[in-house]
């Protein structure tokens, strides 16, 4: 990965965490590039007038009175490339989105388009201008001072409580502890340094601090600029969010539905630290930060914290969290054995566990041979206690038999006696075609193993024994039979415990279609499954619709490493037995992250396209899939909080220099990775402020992984990671709880991100980023049908091609009209309709001479109409709105007829 760094025109130690700091920066002025409509750029020095009434620039050919914009004429300040000029071809790729901003001003809604050297500079100007525009003529003399704010009063009251002697001073050590208690995760050394710095600046060195110094230190240390900018964007008075502001934020940004004022009161009373704020229903910066850091604003959808999928489908329609038996006993081939691995696997939702039975002393089988044997009885006792601690759904015990028939009988008796009613031994119903559902098998333990042939009447008999389980056996030093298929002497008592999971040899896809029964299960070696996945993925997907399949690890994995479970999930394989829960890294992150969904119950419903009787899904599809709408993930990585140093790192400096990699894992068409730039010398709280975009063709099978790495390292660069299924992402501003390599959550370490998910615009091939400007050249792609080569069938389906074209046109026309309307409002395609309407309303409110515009929501297709003459931009917006309403209306009114024609063709076929 090549190293990329950001250049900044802002001093590193300067933190813009208040409107006052932003305005002070604008009063000093700085160089920005002014972009003309012909796409040429000119460097100019921009400055805010001392009376804070206008922004000027120089040098300029205009006289100085024309090279300025009055604050009162500003309609809107847009961050990013949000105007036609900045979006145009010539410029789009020359600078990043976060370095651009535009000022929309005047009665004709003209735009002044500017490019800065860094995102910090953009933030300062956008923040300061929005603040001044909101306050209008009655700008406070020095913003942020004047009467004590909610925040200052609250921090002062905290100080007074700590001032036990009532002397107006408290010891520095107590002040440090106070700030640390209010902001867990912050290092004491950082706080001490800040006090020293402020004491030096105000010539008040000593071991005690006064209230004003304490307030200043708290505000400088505990204000996150990115959250402050967000608050200012939604606040109607720039100090705090009133209930109405909070409601708007929750609906518009967080995508919450049905938010009430009561809910907003609840949030304020739970998170706002100041008594006055709680009483008046105000959420100031500290309360807002606490709320955004709370579990309510986690990136993980709370709906998935409980079981939320349909659990009444056949067992073969689910991915099942599985663990490798040998790996649960030890850290690697050379580790100490310990049965507690089973307990931790069950605690994390594992629903399939493998036990390899060996002859042990005193006629009792063990699950590991040799001097450090673990008795089978002890493991079964643990399973009985912990089987359903984390999940009520069935547990599958996979028995691999390597012991004598006599010890098998002892094992069978132990299972019956210890597990009792939990053991599922009812014979399968031959009239059924599919396995029972997890719902029907709740609280039951299923035994997977070999069964004696139907005609065998003896107390034991010979059965074939496939290669499975010999990997760990070989490592344990067991002798391996040579030549020909192995035979195994199996006792009837153990055979009778096997019901719905009878292990059989794989007879090929054709043989399975003809002869395999639904309760029979095949195990594939990792190598064999990998070959099928690449050579005949469609066959493997179809096979897995009806039968369970297990993939076990290659005996070559003597280091207990893990394979990539996605390679087999994409083919529908339900049980990855090669997952070693004690080997951390990417593969285990994917497995643990994937099974976090659906209440972490160990069962995840497979995508519909992999369950439906008739579906043409190939795991190796390189583009969008028939019948599955592709989605775009718009991910903005904003900042990181309390990032630790890499473990065991010999990093050169004391400070980490982190960057974030966002990875999508899924079907091959979806696998992608983007990284942010490196945040240099940023302490533990770096700001990245970078937008990344991914196209996801099969969202139900995709996983998003965040990895934080250190660019300034010698040795280990890994800082933290978090893995989440795509379907569990919550939109809006979210915190990502980071985890260590071992999977434990790192206290207070988070990433702050913004998530938006949209349908891919206009279907067809996904556009590469940066080509978005060439909109006119894209040829619309229509859904077509695949010829079967059977003339009569092909002719029937040919009648569907016209309604398919109509359907595509109806959908694309609406999507294109929506995007055009959003872009004219200065918003991204990810924006919601509420954001668009609020934006247009804000323009009209900030203008003395604005026309009156009405939106009549009483009508089914609400018109938006203006009275009197209107400026060009507003006219374009109203026209785009009208187009969007009309295309939507056409779609709504024509959909049933087009759908009817498609159904007709389908039924005839």
């Amino acid at each position: 990965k090549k190293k990329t760094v950001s250049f900044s025109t802002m001093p590193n130690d300067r933190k813009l965490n208040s409107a006052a700091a932003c305005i002070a920066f604008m009063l000093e002025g700085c160089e920005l590039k002014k972009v003309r409509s012909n796409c040429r750029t000119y460097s100019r020095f921009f400055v805010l007038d001392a009376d804070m009434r206008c922004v000027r620039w120089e040098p300029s050919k205009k006289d100085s009175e024309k090279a300025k914009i009055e604050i009162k004429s500003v309609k809107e300040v847009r961050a990013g490339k949000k105007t036609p000029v900045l979006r145009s071809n010539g410029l789009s790729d020359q600078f990043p989105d976060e370095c651009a901003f535009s000022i929309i001003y005047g009665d004709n809604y003209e735009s002044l388009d500017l490019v800065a050297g860094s995102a910090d500079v953009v933030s300062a100007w956008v923040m300061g201008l929005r603040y001044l525009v909101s306050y209008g003529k009655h700008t406070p003399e020095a913003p942020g001072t004047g009467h004590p704010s909610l925040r200052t009063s609250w921090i002062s009251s905290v100080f007074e409580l700590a001032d036990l002697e009532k002397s107006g001073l408290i010891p520095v050590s107590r002040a440090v502890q106070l700030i640390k208690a209010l902001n867990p995760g912050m290092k004491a050394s950082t706080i001490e340094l800040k006090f020293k710095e402020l004491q030096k600046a105000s010539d008040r060195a000593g071991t005690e601090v006064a209230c004003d110094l304490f307030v200043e230190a708290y505000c400088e240390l505990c204000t996150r600029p990115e959250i402050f900018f967000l608050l200012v964007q939604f606040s109607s008075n720039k100090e705090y969010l009133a209930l109405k502001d909070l409601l708007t934020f929750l609906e518009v940004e967080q995508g919450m539905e049905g938010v009430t004022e009561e809910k907003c009161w609840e949030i304020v009373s739970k998170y706002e630290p100041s008594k006055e704020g709680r009483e008046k229903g105000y959420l100031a910066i500290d309360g807002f930060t606490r709320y955004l850091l709370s579990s309510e604003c986690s990136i993980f959808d709370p709906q998935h914290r409980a079981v939320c999928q349909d659990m009444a489908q056949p067992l073969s329609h689910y991915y099942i969290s599985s663990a490798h038996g040998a790996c649960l006993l030890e850290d690697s081939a050379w580790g100490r054995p310990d049965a507690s691995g089973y307990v931790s696997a069950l605690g994390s939702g594992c629903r399939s566990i493998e036990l390899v039975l060996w002859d042990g002393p005193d006629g009792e089988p063990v699950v590991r041979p040799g001097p450090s044997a673990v008795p089978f009885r002890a493991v079964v006792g643990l399973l009985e206690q912990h089987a359903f601690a984390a999940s009520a759904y069935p547990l599958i015990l996979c028995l691999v038999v390597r012991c004598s028939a006599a010890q098998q009988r002892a094992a069978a008796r132990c299972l019956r006696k210890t597990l009792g009613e939990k053991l599922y031994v009812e014979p399968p119903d031959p009239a059924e075609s599919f396995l029972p559902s997890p719902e029907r098998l709740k609280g039951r333990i299923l035994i997977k193993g070999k069964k004696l042939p139907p005609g065998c009447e003896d107390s034991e008999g010979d059965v074939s024994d496939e290669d499975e389980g010999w990997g760990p056996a070989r490592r344990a030093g067991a002798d391996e039979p040579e030549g020909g298929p192995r035979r195994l002497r199996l006792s009837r008592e153990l055979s009778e415990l096997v019901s719905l999971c009878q292990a059989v040899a794989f007879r090929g896809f054709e043989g399975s279609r003809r002869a395999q029964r639904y309760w029979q299960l095949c195990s594939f070696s990792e190598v064999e499954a990998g070959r099928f996945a690449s050579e005949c993925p469609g066959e493997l997907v179809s096979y897995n619709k009806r039968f369970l399949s297990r993939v076990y690890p290659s005996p070559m994995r003597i280091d207990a490493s893990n394979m990539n479970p996605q390679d087999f999930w994409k083919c529908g394989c339900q049980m990855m037995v090669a997952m070693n829960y004690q080997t951390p890294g990417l593969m285990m992150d994917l497995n643990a992250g994937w099974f976090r969904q659906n209440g972490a119950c160990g069962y995840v419903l497979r995508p519909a396209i992999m369950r439906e009787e008739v579906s043409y899904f190939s795991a190796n599809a390189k583009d969008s899939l028939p019948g599955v709408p592709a989605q775009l993930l718009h991910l903005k990585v904003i900042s990181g909080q309390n990032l630790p140093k890499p473990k065991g790192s010999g990093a050169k400096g004391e400070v980490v220099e982190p960057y974030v990699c966002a990875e999508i894992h899924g079907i091959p068409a979806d696998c992608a990775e983007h990284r942010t730039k490196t945040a240099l010398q940023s302490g533990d709280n770096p700001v990245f402020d970078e937008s990344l975009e991914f196209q996801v063709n099969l969202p139900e099978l995709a996983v998003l992984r965040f990895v934080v790495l250190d660019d300034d390292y010698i040795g280990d660069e890994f800082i933290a990671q978090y893995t989440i299924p795509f379907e569990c992402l919550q939109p809006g501003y979210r915190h990502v709880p980071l985890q260590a390599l071992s999977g434990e959550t790192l206290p207070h370490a988070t990433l702050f991100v913004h998530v938006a998910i949209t349908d891919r615009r206009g279907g067809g091939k996904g556009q590469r980023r940066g080509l978005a400007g060439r909109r006119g050249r894209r040829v619309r792609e229509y859904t077509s049908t695949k010829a079967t080569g059977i003339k009569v069938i092909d002719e029937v389906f040919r009648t569907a091609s016209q309604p398919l074209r109509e359907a595509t046109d109806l959908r694309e026309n609406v999507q294109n009209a929506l995007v055009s309307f959003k872009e004219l409002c200065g918003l991204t395609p990810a924006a919601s309709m509420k954001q668009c309407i609020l934006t247009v309303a804000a323009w009209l409110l900030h203008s003395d001479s604005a026309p009156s515009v009405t939106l009549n929501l009483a009508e089914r297709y609400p018109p938006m109409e203006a009275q009197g003459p209107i400026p060009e931009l507003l006219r374009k917006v109203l026209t785009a709105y009208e187009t969007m309403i009309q295309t939507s209306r056409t779609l709504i009114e024509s959909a049933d007829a087009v759908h009817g024609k498609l159904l007709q063709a389908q039924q005839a076929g």
Side-chain angles (χ1 to χ4, degrees):
K1 296 185 185 114
K2 66 176 191 291
K3 234 177 179 179
T4 56
V5 296
S6 59
F7 66 96
S8 172
T9 57
M10 185 165 288
N12 262 336
D13 56 353
R14 181 163 189 171
K15 198 169 174 189
L16 295 176
N17 53 14
S18 69
C22 294
I23 290 171
F25 178 76
M26 291 159 64
L27 287 164
E28 288 169 27
C30 73
E31 196 170 284
L32 299 169
K33 286 193 170 83
K34 184 169 177 267
V35 185
R36 290 265 181 84
S37 54
N38 60 7
C39 293
R40 288 201 176 152
T41 57
Y42 303 88
S43 282
R44 298 283 181 263
F45 187 81
F46 283 76
V47 66
L48 175 68
D49 264 3
D51 63 3
M52 298 194 245
R53 287 177 192 235
C54 48
V55 173
R56 298 178 183 276
W57 59 92
E58 54 193 32
S60 171
K61 289 180 184 147
K62 300 174 180 171
D63 61 63
S64 63
E65 279 312 295
K66 285 192 179 157
K68 69 171 190 184
I69 290 177
E70 291 194 1
I71 297 293
K72 67 177 185 189
S73 74
V74 175
K75 299 281 185 283
E76 187 194 359
V77 186
R78 297 179 185 173
K81 299 181 218 175
K82 304 278 177 57
T83 62
V85 171
L86 291 176
R87 278 200 190 100
S88 61
N89 278 347
L91 285 171
S92 197
D93 299 337
Q94 286 180 24
F95 46 86
D97 189 68
E98 46 276 1
C99 288
F101 70 106
S102 304
I103 303 170
I104 312 295
Y105 67 98
D107 291 338
N108 291 323
Y109 294 82
E110 293 165 69
S111 74
L112 173 63
D113 299 303
L114 302 166
V115 177
S118 74
D120 298 341
V121 176
V122 171
S123 295
W125 279 93
V126 170
M127 166 86 193
L129 285 166
R130 282 179 180 165
Y131 191 97
L132 292 170
V133 168
S134 300
Y135 270 113
K137 297 185 184 71
H138 42 271
T139 302
E141 275 54 52
T145 64
H147 71 92
S149 65
L150 274 180
R151 184 185 205 194
T152 314
S153 314
W154 165 66
I155 302 165
S156 306
S157 69
V158 170
F159 179 89
E160 282 157 24
L161 282 174
D163 179 10
L164 306 172
E165 298 77 23
K166 300 293 170 239
S167 62
L169 295 166
I170 63 171
V172 171
S173 58
R174 196 183 302 162
V176 170
Q177 286 312 111
L178 257 184
I179 290 183
K180 199 164 165 33
L182 292 169
N183 201 335
M186 190 173 281
K187 289 181 185 155
S189 55
T190 309
I191 308 170
E192 283 160 12
L193 199 66
K194 176 55 70 183
F195 277 122
K196 277 184 190 151
E197 206 180 281
L198 293 175
Q199 285 178 322
K200 192 178 172 190
S202 60
D203 279 336
R204 287 192 281 178
T207 56
E208 295 188 311
V209 291
C211 184
D212 61 330
L213 203 84
F214 179 77
V215 170
E216 194 180 345
Y218 178 88
C219 289
E220 287 199 19
L221 288 165
C222 303
T223 310
R224 283 175 47 190
E226 69 278 26
I227 292 184
F228 189 68
F229 292 147
L230 191 56
L231 180 124
V232 169
Q233 212 175 314
F234 283 89
S235 161
S236 38
N237 73 352
K238 309 300 161 206
E239 278 266 334
Y240 50 76
L241 296 174
L243 292 178
K244 189 168 170 289
D245 303 330
L246 180 56
L247 195 136
T248 304
F249 171 74
L250 296 176
E251 284 194 336
V252 166
E253 278 303 339
Q254 304 299 83
M256 285 169 70
E257 288 174 11
V259 188
T260 58
E261 276 209 4
E262 287 72 40
K263 173 68 186 164
C264 297
W265 263 113
E266 212 178 285
I267 290 171
V268 172
S269 43
K270 191 169 175 186
Y271 298 105
E272 174 52 41
S274 73
K275 186 165 179 274
E276 187 190 348
R278 290 196 300 274
E279 284 167 1
K280 293 182 175 173
Y282 296 158
L283 193 65
I285 180 70
D286 298 287
F288 190 42
T289 306
R290 286 177 178 190
Y291 171 62
L292 287 172
L293 276 166
S294 74
S295 59
E296 291 185 51
C297 286
S298 166
I299 191 167
F300 191 86
D301 185 347
Q303 197 190 339
H304 271 278
R305 290 195 187 122
V307 174
C308 57
Q309 295 177 345
D310 174 8
M311 301 304 285
Q313 303 260 345
L315 212 54
S316 59
H317 286 183
Y318 298 84
Y319 295 111
I320 303 171
S321 178
S322 312
H324 189 311
C327 303
L328 293 179
L329 283 169
E330 57 192 2
D331 238 350
S332 73
W334 328 111
R336 300 288 307 149
D338 176 12
S340 66
Y342 292 108
V343 179
S344 61
L346 290 168
S348 62
C350 177
R351 296 287 82 197
S352 168
I353 280 180
E354 181 190 57
L355 298 177
V356 185
L357 299 179
W358 304 88
D359 281 329
D362 309 321
E364 289 283 338
V366 293
V367 291
R368 177 201 166 94
S372 49
V374 177
F376 176 69
R377 188 176 296 281
V379 175
V380 176
L382 280 176
L383 295 179
E384 198 281 327
Q385 283 174 42
H386 301 281
F388 301 104
S391 169
Y393 293 101
L395 173 67
I396 301 172
L397 277 191
C398 302
L399 299 186
V400 180
V401 178
R402 296 282 169 264
C403 61
S404 64
Q407 295 216 357
Q408 289 171 35
R409 285 192 278 277
R413 287 194 288 273
C414 169
L415 285 166
R416 278 195 191 267
K417 187 180 170 192
T418 313
L419 303 178
E421 286 296 295
K422 292 177 184 167
L423 205 56
Y424 186 95
V425 289
E426 295 145 40
D429 179 355
E432 294 283 334
S433 307
F434 284 96
L435 286 161
S437 68
E439 190 58 46
R440 256 183 65 191
L441 295 169
K442 253 184 173 174
R444 306 303 291 272
I445 296 176
L446 278 57
I447 303 293
K448 175 257 165 190
K450 286 282 173 185
K451 221 167 159 49
L452 289 173
C456 175
E457 298 295 328
D458 305 330
S459 63
E460 53 189 64
D462 279 355
V463 292
S464 69
D465 182 18
E466 282 73 51
D467 188 23
E468 181 192 352
W470 278 101
R474 193 176 302 149
R475 297 209 296 267
D479 293 328
E480 200 177 328
E482 286 180 30
R486 273 187 300 268
R487 305 296 292 169
L488 167 74
R489 198 79 184 148
L490 183 67
S491 86
R492 171 167 299 285
E493 283 179 56
L494 197 59
S495 167
E496 283 173 350
L497 297 184
V498 176
S499 163
L500 293 175
C501 297
Q502 182 189 340
V504 295
F506 180 62
R507 305 183 182 92
F509 293 116
E510 193 49 53
S512 301
R513 262 198 296 274
R514 281 202 304 268
Q516 191 172 334
R517 311 303 299 263
Y518 71 82
W519 60 82
Q520 294 177 328
L521 175 159
C522 294
S523 295
F524 301 95
S525 77
E526 181 186 336
V527 177
E528 190 181 16
R531 195 179 75 242
F532 292 147
S534 59
E535 290 173 13
C536 44
E539 291 270 33
L540 191 49
V541 171
S542 291
Y543 174 84
N544 285 322
K545 285 179 187 175
R546 190 148 165 242
F547 308 113
L548 284 176
S549 62
R550 296 169 78 242
V551 180
Y552 60 89
S554 155
M556 301 317 291
R557 287 186 185 273
I558 58 164
D559 58 351
S561 62
N562 279 318
M563 59 181 180
N564 187 343
Q566 281 279 4
D567 291 344
F568 305 101
W569 287 339
K570 70 181 185 186
C571 295
C573 297
Q574 297 89 345
M575 296 149 84
M576 294 302 105
V577 194
M579 293 323 292
N580 175 354
Y581 275 53
Q582 286 153 321
T583 303
L586 166 66
M587 305 316 171
M588 200 58 222
D589 292 345
L590 291 177
N591 193 68
W594 179 250
F595 284 107
R596 207 172 269 140
Q597 63 188 310
N598 199 27
C601 74
Y603 284 84
V604 171
L605 190 60
R606 292 211 313 248
I609 197 169
M610 295 168 81
R611 306 192 310 266
E612 290 159 355
E613 203 53 44
V614 178
S615 65
Y616 298 96
F617 169 68
S618 167
N620 297 335
K622 293 286 183 281
D623 196 41
S624 53
L625 303 166
V628 182
Q631 295 191 312
L632 278 183
L633 169 63
H634 310 264
L635 184 67
K636 187 170 193 180
V637 181
I638 303 168
S639 59
Q641 291 71 46
N642 307 313
L643 299 181
K645 282 191 76 168
K647 270 231 170 79
S649 77
K652 297 186 284 291
E654 261 313 293
V655 181
V656 287
E657 295 194 339
Y659 62 97
V660 178
C661 271
E663 308 164 349
I664 292 279
H665 297 266
I667 58 170
D670 290 343
C671 293
E673 175 185 316
H674 296 309
R675 63 159 284 178
T676 67
K677 58 180 175 284
T678 301
L680 295 176
Q681 299 296 321
S682 57
D684 311 327
N685 303 303
V687 173
F688 303 103
D689 223 356
E690 208 155 328
S691 302
L692 314 172
E693 198 174 278
F694 297 90
Q695 178 176 311
V696 182
N697 295 291
L698 185 55
E700 289 173 275
L701 200 57
V703 172
L704 170 64
R705 182 172 184 254
F706 294 94
V707 198
V708 188
L709 300 162
D710 186 7
D711 228 343
D712 180 34
Y713 74 101
I714 298 163
D716 186 10
E717 59 176 344
F718 178 89
I719 295 174
Q721 69 84 29
Y722 182 74
T723 308
I724 178 171
F726 187 86
E727 297 281 281
C728 296
L729 287 172
Q730 284 223 88
Y733 287 94
R734 303 287 169 190
H735 277 95
V736 178
L738 294 171
Q739 297 179 333
L741 191 62
S742 55
E744 287 117 48
T745 300
L746 292 163
H748 315 297
T750 52
L751 285 179
F752 187 44
V753 299
H754 182 268
V755 176
I757 297 167
T758 58
D759 282 343
R760 189 179 74 197
R761 178 186 175 171
K765 294 267 190 290
Q767 292 172 334
R768 296 238 308 283
R769 231 179 137 196
L771 299 179
R774 306 179 196 163
R775 210 176 306 140
R777 299 188 196 170
R778 194 162 52 80
V779 178
R780 186 169 287 185
E781 285 198 3
Y782 291 99
T783 305
S784 55
T785 52
K786 216 177 191 175
T788 61
I790 303 165
K791 193 178 168 204
V792 58
I793 292 178
D794 290 342
E795 276 174 10
V796 170
F797 280 112
R798 209 166 285 130
T799 62
S801 56
Q802 188 49 39
L804 280 172
R805 280 184 83 87
E806 287 172 40
T808 305
D809 285 338
L810 288 167
R811 188 185 63 206
E812 311 275 299
N813 292 347
V814 170
Q815 285 184 336
N816 291 343
L818 269 169
V819 172
S820 300
F821 176 60
K822 289 173 183 179
E823 287 185 349
L824 279 167
C825 291
L827 296 167
T828 64
S832 69
M833 202 40 60
K834 276 187 175 146
Q835 283 165 300
C836 298
I837 301 297
L838 286 170
T839 302
V840 177
W843 295 349
L844 299 169
L845 290 173
H846 289 151
S847 174
D848 301 332
S849 57
S852 107
V853 174
T854 56
L855 179 63
N856 183 0
L857 292 174
E859 294 196 24
R860 188 175 178 198
Y861 300 105
M864 201 191 316
E865 291 161 344
Q867 278 72 44
I870 55 170
E872 180 63 9
L873 177 68
L874 196 54
R875 190 185 60 71
K876 283 183 177 169
V877 167
L878 293 177
T879 308
Y881 175 83
E882 181 57 24
T883 307
M884 182 192 72
I885 291 291
Q886 288 313 321
T887 52
S888 302
R889 181 177 186 160
T890 310
L891 180 136
I892 291 165
E893 292 174 356
S894 319
D896 287 348
V898 175
H899 185 232
K901 288 181 202 168
L902 290 170
L903 275 183
Q904 228 175 329
Q906 188 187 20
Q907 282 160 0

